[in-house]
Amino acid sequence: MFEVIKTFLIGCAVGMGNVIPGVSGSTIAVVFGIYDKFINAITLNFKKLWANRKFVIPMILGMVLGVFAFSKVVSYLYIHFPTQTNYAFTGLIIGSIPLLVSLMTKQKKGEKKSFWYIFSLVVCVAAGIAIIYLFSILEGNVDKNTPEFTVLPELSAGLAVRIFIAGLLGALAMVTPGISGSLLMLILGVYSIVISAIGKLLEPESFVHAFLLLLPNGIGVLIGVLAGAKLIGILLKKVPGQSYAVILGLLLGSAVFMFPGFAGFTSAGIIAGSILSFVGGVALAYFGSKTGD
């Protein structure tokens, strides 16, 4: 029962991460040590899904709840406590580094690592950092203060295709630690439409309109998640060291560009809150990964 509750809560955190531009839900899965299990569980093999139901069901339910219920909470924290919130997320990433280093350097009994193998790990870490650097440039050119739609736009063929492509690319990013799927949707100009439509699903008079807008996005997300998870699952089996090295680079790059600096330290309260948030994030990631399977 404890594992089910823990998986549900992690799912909530992953769902939260997926709706915040600049934050990767898969990064949250990594810091809690369930990323590889999460990737391997995403499949169309219903027998495998049923065998993993104690993980899959609470994970999916938690993600759905995280998207619907907690997105406003996190948005509130970012608006009113941006420095402390960024320090907390930075702490989560830093706290996950020991786990990733352990996975990256893990070797079988009697196995020796050659110079070229170690060199490949270094190159993969650098590649991960470079990818985040490129995304940081894109992020810098995007206005995150996208206005919310009070009236949902009319669905057209062109808009449906754009929403589908955004869902597809966003889902591929969602299963890749360090890369924000929401940021890609923001870049493609559909983020505010999707977020507004999710909220409108709870309003009976707007349900059909919102559902039709979200349908192409949902189809794109489903295809992207299945294809991306399959590819990453294969890489984790065939070249685990290099795969984890890239993930480590993605997380290191995320920590560097997420780090808010000290400009926000305008009062003793903010300084204390930021320190506590950072330490709490590190502890949560470190000990959370220790309890992971």
Side-chain angles (χ1 to χ4, degrees):
M1 189 63 182
F2 170 75
E3 286 297 319
V4 171
I5 295 173
K6 186 184 76 171
T7 302
F8 174 78
L9 294 176
I10 294 174
C12 289
V14 172
M16 266 196 303
N18 280 330
V19 299
I20 305 170
V23 177
S24 168
S26 289
T27 298
I28 307 299
V30 170
V31 302
F32 284 110
I34 55 98
Y35 177 71
D36 52 346
K37 188 174 182 179
F38 173 63
I39 289 297
N40 289 325
I42 301 174
T43 176
L44 287 176
N45 185 329
F46 291 104
K47 288 185 177 180
K48 187 176 180 180
L49 280 174
W50 182 249
N52 294 322
R53 61 188 180 278
K54 290 184 179 180
F55 173 80
V56 174
I57 294 176
M59 188 71 184
I60 292 177
L61 290 176
M63 289 175 65
V64 171
L65 180 61
V67 169
F68 278 96
F70 288 94
S71 59
K72 290 185 178 180
V73 174
V74 177
S75 298
Y76 177 87
L77 291 175
Y78 261 112
I79 292 170
H80 298 280
F81 307 100
T83 303
Q84 297 93 323
T85 304
N86 275 323
Y87 267 99
F89 277 110
T90 303
L92 281 171
I93 294 173
I94 297 298
S96 69
I97 290 176
L99 170 67
L100 279 175
V101 171
S102 174
L103 292 170
M104 181 182 72
T105 57
K106 187 178 182 180
Q107 60 187 62
K108 298 177 182 178
K109 188 176 181 180
E111 182 183 22
K112 293 184 178 180
K113 303 298 185 185
S114 66
F115 167 79
W116 290 110
Y117 181 83
I118 295 173
F119 179 74
S120 71
L121 295 182
V122 174
V123 170
C124 288
V125 171
I129 295 174
I131 290 171
I132 292 299
Y133 178 73
L134 291 175
F135 270 85
S136 73
I137 294 175
L138 291 174
E139 186 175 351
N141 293 326
V142 174
D143 179 14
K144 290 186 179 181
N145 296 317
T146 308
E148 295 183 2
F149 287 97
T150 54
V151 178
L152 292 175
E154 291 298 322
L155 182 64
S156 63
L159 180 59
V161 171
R162 187 152 58 96
I163 292 175
F164 168 79
I165 293 174
L168 178 66
L169 296 179
L172 290 172
M174 285 176 191
V175 297
T176 306
I179 301 178
S180 169
S182 292
L183 176 60
L184 279 181
M185 289 198 290
L186 191 59
I187 292 169
L188 293 171
V190 303
Y191 176 76
S192 58
I193 297 175
V194 171
I195 293 299
S196 297
I198 290 174
K200 294 291 184 180
L201 283 175
L202 302 177
E203 301 176 8
E205 66 276 9
S206 304
F207 175 81
V208 174
H209 189 184
F211 177 79
L212 291 176
L213 282 171
L214 290 172
L215 184 60
N217 186 260
I219 295 172
V221 167
L222 180 62
I223 295 173
V225 165
L226 290 172
K230 184 69 174 178
L231 174 60
I232 293 174
I234 292 173
L235 291 174
L236 287 174
K237 289 181 180 178
K238 299 294 184 181
V239 283
Q242 289 85 349
S243 298
Y244 282 116
V246 173
I247 293 173
L248 176 61
L250 291 169
L251 262 69
L252 289 174
S254 296
V256 170
F257 291 105
M258 185 177 290
F259 181 65
F262 308 106
F265 284 180
T266 55
S267 70
I270 292 178
I271 295 174
S274 298
I275 293 173
L276 289 174
S277 297
F278 178 79
V279 173
V282 171
L284 187 61
Y286 181 77
F287 293 108
S289 65
K290 288 293 183 181
T291 60
D293 291 335

